[in-house]
């Protein structure tokens, strides 16, 4: 039963880390938005080849959240 608790805590830790990375993703400026300090204005220049909608932080965070939910499901079955 001790390994089930350790697995549950590991799932919580992965979920917290993944949620933090996804939270960080929401506050990043997209690569196709530029800020001009001279005019105090934002400009949008979208090229389909250059536009990155998501960063690796968000992708890894979403994956860690999925793994955390899978671990929690496994813990529910074992415990």
């Amino acid at each position: 039963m001790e390994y089930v608790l350790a697995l549950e805590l590991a799932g919580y830790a992965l979920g917290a880390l993944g949620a933090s990375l996804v939270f960080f993703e929401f506050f990043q400026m997209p690569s196709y938005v530029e800020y001009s300090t001279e005019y105090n204005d934002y400009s949008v220049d979208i090229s389909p080849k250059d536009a990155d909608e998501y960063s690796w932080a968000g992708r890894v965070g979403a994956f860690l959240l999925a793994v955390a939910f899978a671990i929690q499901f496994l813990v529910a079955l074992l415990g």
Side-chain angles (χ1 to χ4, degrees):
M1 196 64 175
E2 187 175 307
Y3 67 91
V4 175
L5 179 62
L7 193 60
E8 183 177 13
L9 291 176
Y12 289 149
L14 283 177
L17 179 62
S20 299
L21 289 173
V22 170
F23 179 77
F24 175 71
E25 174 73 25
F26 287 136
F27 292 101
Q28 291 188 21
M29 188 180 307
S31 64
Y32 49 85
V33 176
E34 294 180 11
Y35 178 71
S36 172
T37 56
E38 182 179 337
Y39 298 111
N40 195 22
D41 192 24
Y42 290 94
S43 65
V44 177
D45 184 24
I46 297 178
S47 170
K49 199 184 326 178
D50 297 331
D52 291 330
E53 193 170 339
Y54 304 105
S55 69
W56 282 103
R59 292 176 179 147
V60 170
F63 177 73
L64 288 177
L65 279 172
V67 170
F69 277 113
I71 288 174
Q72 294 304 320
F73 181 73
L74 180 65
V75 166
L77 289 176
L78 293 175

